[in-house]
Amino acid sequence: MIDNNCRKQILDLIAREVVPAVGCTEPMAVALCVARATEMLGKRPEKITVMLSANILKNAMGVGIPGTGMIGLPIAIALGALIGKSEYQLEVLKDLTPETLEQGKKYMEEGHIDIQLKQGHCDKLYIEAICGALGDQATAIIATGHTHFVYEERNGQVNFDRRGGTAEEGETESVALNMKLVHEFATTAPIDEIRFILKTKEYNLRAAEESIKGNYGHCLGKTMDRPLSHGIFGNTMFSHIISKTASACDARMGGAMIPVMSNSGSGNQGICATNPVAVFAQENENTEEELIRALTLSHLTAIYIKQSLGKLSALCGCVVASIGSSCGITYLMGGQYVDICHAVKNMIANLTGMICDGAKPSCSLKICSGVSTALLSALLAREGKHVTEAEGIIDLDVDRSIHNLTSIGKEAMCATDDMVLNIMTHKKTD
């Protein structure tokens, strides 16, 4: 039985990690940092220097900025300075209008912005914004979390300096999760305490519906709904799950001004942990309580894995979120803890090694791969089939299997991360 203190810590953890975001979280975090530095400066910056970790730079280069029809960091930085409000957190640009967009484009073209790769050792999630005007200068730094300010200074006067720490502002000590605890919490917590998780369904399925009204990204979700696709995949639960998940990703990566519920700092992870579970529950006619518990299981599993993997890594986040959704779907199929562990092992045996080459419209393709595998892994688990410890990186213990996955993503794939960034910054785009 989980004691009250432990349960409260888990609830606080979910509340911190499952939050609304408009647009890709990396450029939004950069805009947030610039907005805060501008607020401290107290005037419109004449010069903005932004220094970023390689992973932030990689994830922000090719993604659409909501409401702008534009791609990349310069417009996000310009708008962060002109209209951004730090109190909005990852919805920092939600006050955007056509008029302020034109102002942002002009500001960007006037050469006020300098974007650099942060030299030397820094956290994989690191953003430093330096804004100057009329002899004044203000600096804000975000690190370890997309909204976690660790340093603020104006004209040499330091407001605070939390560099070197790991806990986010206002954060209480997090409980050490394991798969057994994740499952027990999701299946036994008082239902009214976790009912808030239904917000993820509300936000992320709405994003899928809004996506259909436009042509965002590669239109993968809309393509899955067309007659040719139905002839190949059928007009089935499988095609509906893929379509609703891909559509929300299409909109988010394509720059739609649509909020989604993120997970562990990623909107795509939030979508991937939510929509497959929500659509399956709807078409399988599960009860609301079963849906709430399945969504909680999915999101908390993703949070657990990201605790050891890190917010940003060389491993695609859809791998992690798809493991969560596979657990949620297995539960909705009537699976017990042992089945859920088998689903996790099946997922790790298949998707480990999928690289993250930045946030971009084609993320929807990777999400489809993850969700397809999530469904297959859940089905196999319910049939009593699973990848065993005699195969590859799978261990007898499910938590050690997860650790094997995160060790590869966090440690062994560092050289992969460097190579990916090198390719992305040196390729021809004409």
Side-chain angles (χ1 to χ4, degrees):
M1 178 69 70
I2 302 175
D3 64 51
N4 289 338
N5 183 55
C6 179
R7 197 171 76 245
K8 183 180 184 303
Q9 285 183 332
I10 296 173
L11 286 167
D12 289 344
L13 177 62
I14 298 172
R16 286 198 307 272
E17 299 292 357
V18 180
V19 296
V22 175
C24 177
T25 47
E26 277 71 53
M28 290 305 101
V30 175
L32 172 64
C33 196
V34 170
R36 183 62 193 132
T38 301
E39 288 165 357
M40 288 190 295
L41 185 66
K43 63 195 78 171
R44 177 170 167 159
E46 296 170 350
K47 181 70 175 179
I48 303 174
T49 301
V50 175
M51 290 182 279
L52 308 171
S53 61
N55 286 75
I56 288 286
L57 191 60
K58 177 184 73 173
N59 273 12
M61 287 173 59
V63 68
I65 306 303
T68 68
M70 301 174 70
I71 287 174
L73 280 169
I75 189 63
I77 292 169
L79 293 173
L82 297 180
I83 63 150
K85 293 182 180 177
S86 62
E87 65 192 78
Y88 291 165
Q89 299 285 286
L90 292 179
E91 297 180 282
V92 59
L93 302 183
K94 70 179 182 179
D95 288 342
L96 181 65
T97 65
E99 292 74 26
T100 52
L101 174 58
E102 291 307 311
Q103 294 172 25
K105 289 178 180 178
K106 183 180 178 187
Y107 185 87
M108 182 181 71
E109 292 164 358
E110 289 171 349
H112 298 284
I113 299 167
D114 180 23
I115 301 170
Q116 302 176 15
L117 180 65
K118 177 68 176 178
Q119 300 301 313
H121 176 75
C122 66
D123 191 82
K124 288 193 173 185
L125 198 166
Y126 182 92
I127 303 162
E128 182 174 345
I130 305 168
C131 294
L134 301 175
D136 294 316
Q137 181 173 291
T139 300
I141 298 176
I142 286 174
T144 70
H146 289 78
T147 61
H148 183 210
F149 285 94
V150 297
Y151 183 81
E152 290 185 359
E153 171 260 319
R154 185 181 190 278
N155 291 339
Q157 182 174 346
V158 177
N159 293 343
F160 61 81
D161 186 352
R162 305 190 189 103
R163 290 174 294 183
T166 56
E168 298 200 18
E169 189 173 356
E171 180 177 326
T172 55
E173 184 180 352
S174 292
V175 63
L177 295 174
N178 57 59
M179 203 61 220
K180 185 72 174 176
L181 181 57
V182 167
H183 177 263
E184 185 177 354
F185 175 85
T187 55
T188 65
I191 199 67
D192 286 339
E193 288 187 3
I194 56 175
R195 187 176 299 276
F196 68 90
I197 205 71
L198 287 175
K199 281 285 185 184
T200 63
K201 173 189 174 184
E202 177 187 331
Y203 271 68
N204 295 348
L205 285 184
R206 184 194 303 138
E209 294 300 325
E210 289 295 319
S211 176
I212 301 300
K213 300 176 184 177
N215 290 311
Y216 297 105
H218 297 296
C219 297
L220 184 55
K222 292 178 77 171
T223 299
M224 286 295 297
D225 269 340
R226 288 176 181 149
L228 177 60
S229 297
H230 287 168
I232 296 170
F233 298 103
N235 189 9
T236 63
M237 181 190 291
F238 172 80
S239 67
H240 299 161
I241 287 172
I242 296 293
S243 174
K244 293 294 187 186
T245 308
S247 290
C249 178
D250 285 335
R252 181 173 175 271
M253 294 290 95
M257 204 69 169
I258 302 170
V260 301
M261 277 290 190
S262 63
N263 181 300
S264 304
S266 167
N268 281 350
Q269 285 168 198
I271 291 166
C272 204
T274 302
N275 288 15
V277 176
V279 175
F280 184 94
Q282 181 177 331
E283 301 209 7
N284 196 49
E285 298 183 352
N286 289 98
T287 66
E288 183 180 73
E289 178 172 344
E290 287 170 338
L291 171 60
I292 291 169
R293 296 197 182 281
L295 286 171
T296 302
L297 177 60
S298 179
H299 279 277
L300 191 55
T301 297
I303 292 168
Y304 163 43
I305 298 172
K306 290 293 285 188
Q307 279 185 333
S308 56
L309 181 63
K311 298 282 188 183
L312 300 177
S313 75
L315 185 70
C316 177
C318 85
V319 173
V320 174
S322 296
I323 293 173
S325 61
S326 189
C327 293
I329 290 169
T330 303
Y331 171 81
L332 292 172
M333 289 178 172
Q336 302 301 308
Y337 177 67
V338 65
D339 302 308
I340 288 164
C341 291
H342 289 168
V344 171
K345 293 180 180 182
N346 291 340
M347 291 292 293
I348 294 172
N350 190 342
L351 290 180
T352 298
M354 182 185 286
I355 65 167
C356 170
D357 53 343
K360 60 213 173 300
S362 60
C363 286
S364 59
L365 288 165
K366 294 188 178 185
I367 278 182
C368 287
S369 296
V371 174
S372 299
T373 303
L375 289 161
L376 181 60
S377 296
L379 283 168
L380 283 173
R382 289 297 289 130
E383 291 290 326
K385 307 291 185 182
H386 67 96
V387 180
T388 71
E389 61 274 14
E391 304 172 66
I393 65 168
I394 300 305
D395 197 291
L396 178 63
D397 179 74
V398 68
D399 294 297
R400 285 198 296 268
S401 296
I402 290 170
H403 178 73
N404 293 343
L405 166 73
T406 58
S407 294
I408 289 171
K410 188 174 184 178
E411 300 166 26
M413 292 177 73
C414 288
T416 301
D417 228 8
D418 294 338
M419 178 61 74
V420 166
L421 182 64
N422 183 60
I423 291 170
M424 290 175 65
T425 53
H426 291 90
K427 65 184 176 180
K428 292 182 179 179
T429 56
D430 293 336

